[in-house]
Structure formats: structure tokens, C-alpha cells
Amino acid sequence: MGLKVGLSGAGFIAPVHIEGWRRAGADVVAIADPDLARAHFTADHYQIGKIYSDAGAMIDAGGIDVLDVAAPRQVHIEQSLAGLAAGLPVICQKPLAPSLAEAEAFAQKLGPDDRFMVHENWRFRQPYRQIRQWIDQGLVGDIRHVSMAMRSTAMLPDETGLRPAAGRQPFMLKEPRLVLAEVLIHNIDTLRFLVGDLSLIAARAARVDPEITGETSATLYAETADATPVMISGDMTAHGTPNGASDWLELLGSKGRVTLENTVLRLHGPQPHEIHFGTGNLLAEAAAATIAHFVEQLESGGAFETGLEDSLKTLRLVEQAYDLSAPIPEAARP
């Protein structure tokens, strides 16, 4: 029999996690959410036998082998620590915590035998795994420039006045840290996976709608260890774009040029190649691949690709982006 999973959180992302566990040969046997109506709805749909209003009660009840934390970021640390204290391996949705300080304090509490991984699934998307393979095969050569952009209408009101992202995840309207911490964190992590560690040089973010608390657009300039320039930008109010996050990537190398336009990936150069990833659910596929990696490493005892130390590197860049994009006080302006 496969792993028995306790899932904390029955919101938007829960079905993606449940399907991912099933594809990995595991079974979500318990679910916890303070919104019991939502918990019952999800449990009934997926035939999950045990329902709790509190993740702590679910952990204390036993009967699970793994804790999957897919609840709001404000409870990630508390619930992860509770699961680890009970001897459970834990996989936790990104961002690990509302702030870098909380995440680093959490890191100090983990023991050498604790099994913990951040569920950062963007880098597990098929196009990015293929790009990394081309890089490793030497088809791109020395990388000279990288640009990555996310554009969506996720926080633009539609004809009914509903903002698609807020409809899926209502907290986004009042979340003070939005596009950087909720969306571009994926892009930053993916670029770290593709081209290595980054140093952030400059960042700007903008709040453009008084009804939205957090920033909806941001632009970052970073560099790799060998000073290769890396541009990252994102906007959640871009007219004429999908209402979910869409990626555009250009990677210039000495032997080839890689472009990704949503689901169309191309390698330009002496050995051209084009791959269409179709209309499949990239999020669901990436989540399943992330969970499969977690299960494989649990079985082998190997290191997690998106373990705590790796996640902290991404969180430090996010925190630096907020620091660098903070408004200049009036008194300091010329």
C-alpha cells in the first residue's frame, strides 16, 4: 500500500495536490481546513474519509505517513513544525513563510533527520526540464543573456467585475505581498534551476489599483555568478493575456537560442528543435512531478531538489526585491 497523506487546506490548489498524490501511488486519507463546508465538499468529491477543522487535530489523530501543507502561508511554519514534531515527512506549499525572517527562524529549528521539502512546482514543468536538458547537453553553449516575463489578466476585473485570481483565491485582494511573493517567486526559482544562483542588482514594483493591497507588477535585474544579465518581469493586469500565469522566456547562448512562448518551446541554431506541449494542465502535471520527486527521495533517502536550503535562496531574492523596490522616502528625494 502507498503512503497515507494528510492534506492541510481544501482551497483552490487542493485538487491539484490530491490528483498528484494519486498519480504517485499515494492516497490522501485525511483533510483539514477551518472552513468545514469547503473541507466536506473536497472530501466528498475525492472520497476522503477523515475531515478535521484543524491540522493539529489531524496530526494528533495519527493514521497518516506524510503531511502536505497547502494552507495559507501564515500557518505554513506552525503546521510544518507540528508535522515534523510528530515524526512525519512534510511537503509545504510555497512561499514557505510570509517573510524571510520567519523562514530562517524555521530553518534553525529543523533537525538533521527531519524530512522537509517546499512544494515549488514551476521548475518541474515539462518545458523547463527540457530546457535544462538542452543546456546540460551543450546545445545552448555559454549563456549570454536571459529574459523571463509573466503576463496575465489575473487581477483585471472582467465584464462582471470579478478578478479571476481573486475569484480562485480571495486572499489575493488584501495580500500585501502579491506578484513577487505569490507569482514571480516561481520565475526566480525556475531561473535559479536553469542558470544557477543569482545576485539581485535592482528591482521595481508597482501598486496600480486601489482595490488591490499588494503590488501587481514588478521588474527585476539580476546576474548569474559569471555576471550574465538576467531580466525578470511580471504583470497581473496585462490586457489581452491569459487569466492564469503565462511565461515567455528567451535564453541566448553561444551555440543556440531558446524561446518559450507559453506551451511552445523552440531551440534555434545549428540543431533546431520545436516542441508543442499542447493544452494539457501544466500546473497539474508539474504538481504531480513535484510530488513524485518527493516520494522518490523519501524512498531513496536522497536530497530534495527544492529542500529548505534551496528554498531559502529563492526567498532571499524575493525579500531583496521588496527591499530594493520600496518607495524612496520624500525626504531622501532630490
Side-chain angles (χ1 to χ4, degrees), residues 269-322:
Q271 301 182 56
H273 202 73
E274 182 172 311
I275 303 174
H276 291 249
F277 288 93
T279 58
N281 189 328
L282 287 179
L283 172 59
E285 292 172 0
T290 306
I291 289 170
H293 170 75
F294 179 74
V295 172
E296 289 166 4
Q297 299 311 101
L298 282 183
E299 293 174 347
S300 69
F304 299 122
E305 188 173 310
T306 54
L308 180 57
E309 288 305 316
D310 188 84
S311 179
L312 285 174
K313 291 181 179 181
T314 297
L315 285 175
R316 288 181 187 120
L317 290 168
V318 171
E319 193 74 21
Q320 290 170 21
Y322 279 112

Side-chain angles (χ1 to χ4, degrees), residues 254-289:
S254 59
K255 294 183 180 179
R257 170 174 169 258
V258 174
T259 60
L260 174 64
E261 299 176 67
N262 291 329
T263 59
V264 180
L265 176 64
R266 295 183 176 94
L267 173 64
H268 310 262
Q271 301 182 56
H273 202 73
E274 182 172 311
I275 303 174
H276 291 249
F277 288 93
T279 58
N281 189 328
L282 287 179
L283 172 59
E285 292 172 0

